Amino acid sequence: MRILVTGKNGQLGQSINKLINIETKIENNPNSNKYTFVGREELDLSSESSISHYFDNNNKFDIIINCAAYTQVDKAEQEAELANQVNHLAVKQLASIANEQQAKLIHVSTDYVFDGESDKPYTETDKTNPINVYGKTKLAGEKALQAVMPTNAIIIRTSWVYSEYGNNFVKTMLRLGKERDELNVVSDQIGSPTYATDLANAILNIVQSIEFKEVGQKTQVYHYSNAGKVSWYDFAKEIFKIAKVDCKVNPITMQQYPMPAKRPKNTLMNKDKIVKVFNILHSPWRGPLELCIRDGTQG
Ligand SMILES: NC(=O)c1ccc[n+]([C@@H]2O[C@H](COP(=O)([O-])OP(=O)(O)OC[C@H]3O[C@@H](n4cnc5c(N)ncnc54)[C@H](OP(=O)(O)O)[C@@H]3O)[C@@H](O)[C@H]2O)c1
């Protein structure tokens, strides 16, 4: 199997790479699946010709895992065209290429396709209604993928991703918590955090599954995050508790902390489908947070 992973320098790309390295060492069988990791230097998703050029000049792949995305939620309000190219048009192009190569495609999307007004966890069939540019471009990517690839793809929506890598809320809190005595954090936005290693593990389990290997499997959307719900305020308090950082956290409202992009209020997602179809379990969010802080974000 030849598997291409885009976004090699991102949180999810690096987390998949970490797990592949561990797996290869344990099984001592580096050739069972051959992974190729690419970043924007090799495959620039903002350029149609860069995408064509990359696939024209490489052997065919069996699976493409698209971890790359334009993820700067606030900046996207000013760079809507670029965000749309990366999150929508490039995904459409990847889907056409996957079709041509008879490859399967795993694409990652976001809880921000929802408006956050529901009082129940969102299911995969609930109405989407993104309230910022990032969410709109990610939803357009989902729709284009489904239109071009009605079979052989899956879309995994995830939320509040953090890891040892890159920029994320956990690392920002740890940095600010050491610099300041107190911090104001939003308490009226609720979601489920996702440790990127757990999402990477879920993706690798799907790759190995019989259900995914079936040729012509219908393209479907799945939700994945860690279990449980939390506000950014409670999440920040737990981060400081685990890391033993002495910093007072004050709850504030989203209104008191205006950002260029609007944020959905409640983006809890129902994960029953991914459990039922792929037997992917999702552990409560505190355990993975502890692991992540212990393993790397403090260094
Ligand atoms: N982070 C979250 O909280 C969150 C929440 C919900 C859903 N998601 C989704 O989860 C997936 C993985 O997110 P993540 O947290 O791993 O994001 P990330 O850390 O921001 O990584 C995204 C990667 O995409 C790459 N990229 C951006 N523009 C590109 C371009 N024009 N060409 C090629 N590569 C490009 C970036 O490259 P550089 O390193 O060179 O900038 C980066 O390595 C994405 O689909 C995202 O939309 C994330």
Side-chain angles (χ1 to χ4, degrees):
M1 282 281 218
R2 279 175 47 80
I3 302 176
L4 178 72
V5 181
T6 68
K8 74 171 179 190
N9 299 313
Q11 299 193 77
L12 183 57
Q14 292 195 66
S15 301
I16 294 179
N17 204 344
K18 174 180 78 174
L19 293 183
I20 294 302
N21 285 333
I22 296 170
E23 204 175 89
T24 307
K25 276 184 202 138
I26 293 171
E27 293 178 1
N28 201 17
N29 180 12
N31 298 320
S32 57
N33 279 326
K34 194 172 178 313
Y35 282 83
T36 303
F37 290 85
V38 288
R40 75 170 83 212
E41 315 73 41
E42 298 94 351
L43 175 60
D44 181 358
L45 295 185
S46 69
S47 152
E48 195 183 328
S49 58
S50 162
I51 301 173
S52 310
H53 182 264
Y54 178 81
F55 287 98
D56 287 347
N57 288 283
N58 283 280
N59 290 333
K60 279 175 26 172
F61 292 96
D62 300 296
I63 300 174
I64 299 169
I65 305 175
N66 184 28
C67 302
Y70 183 107
T71 55
Q72 296 175 79
V73 176
D74 289 311
K75 214 170 161 196
E77 299 293 314
Q78 299 299 321
E79 293 189 336
E81 204 177 319
L82 176 60
N84 189 57
Q85 169 59 40
V86 176
N87 292 344
H88 167 204
L89 301 177
V91 175
K92 186 176 177 186
Q93 197 181 347
L94 285 179
S96 305
I97 291 167
N99 270 346
E100 279 162 30
Q101 302 203 347
Q102 294 180 320
K104 298 233 170 192
L105 177 60
I106 298 179
H107 174 65
V108 184
S109 191
T110 172
D111 56 330
Y112 280 18
V113 297
F114 297 114
D115 61 19
E117 295 301 320
S118 174
D119 52 6
K120 289 200 303 279
Y122 286 98
T123 67
E124 289 80 354
T125 50
D126 279 341
K127 190 173 166 291
T128 51
N129 183 29
I131 58 171
N132 57 38
V133 167
Y134 167 73
K136 284 179 186 158
T137 60
K138 291 292 286 185
L139 179 62
E142 285 188 11
K143 288 189 169 163
L145 185 159
Q146 286 165 311
V148 175
M149 268 187 107
T151 57
N152 292 323
I154 72 169
I155 295 166
I156 305 175
R157 292 187 187 134
T158 189
S159 58
W160 294 28
V161 179
Y162 68 91
S163 68
E164 303 84 338
Y165 313 111
N167 294 317
N168 57 65
F169 183 79
V170 175
K171 288 178 75 175
T172 303
M173 286 299 113
L174 289 173
R175 178 173 48 78
L176 293 178
K178 283 173 191 160
E179 291 167 10
R180 301 187 195 168
D181 295 330
E182 54 185 288
L183 278 177
N184 297 336
V185 181
V186 167
S187 62
D188 58 352
Q189 199 191 342
I190 307 288
S192 299
T194 304
Y195 181 32
T197 298
D198 287 353
L199 175 58
N201 209 9
I203 290 174
L204 295 181
N205 281 324
I206 289 172
V207 165
Q208 299 296 347
S209 69
I210 297 167
E211 290 77 11
F212 183 66
K213 282 180 184 148
E214 184 195 326
V215 176
Q217 128 271 342
K218 191 169 176 287
T219 293
Q220 298 269 352
V221 178
Y222 297 92
H223 288 171
Y224 180 86
S225 67
N226 285 127
K229 65 173 180 179
V230 68
S231 69
W232 289 116
Y233 162 74
D234 285 317
F235 194 39
K237 283 205 305 186
E238 197 62 28
I239 292 166
F240 292 151
K241 192 169 147 197
I242 293 169
K244 300 189 172 57
V245 172
D246 188 17
C247 178
K248 185 168 181 274
V249 188
N250 305 311
I252 56 164
T253 62
M254 281 196 270
Q255 231 180 358
Q256 289 173 291
Y257 190 69
M259 306 278 278
K262 279 206 268 176
R263 300 314 201 255
K265 236 174 18 204
N266 175 359
T267 57
L268 287 178
M269 294 189 294
N270 177 308
K271 275 110 26 199
D272 291 351
K273 186 174 171 187
I274 202 163
V275 176
K276 191 166 163 222
V277 176
F278 294 111
N279 197 23
I280 303 285
L281 300 178
H282 40 95
S283 45
W285 61 266
R286 279 188 188 78
L289 176 64
E290 207 165 340
L291 261 185
C292 176
I293 291 177
R294 217 184 49 210
D295 281 5
T297 50
Q298 300 215 78

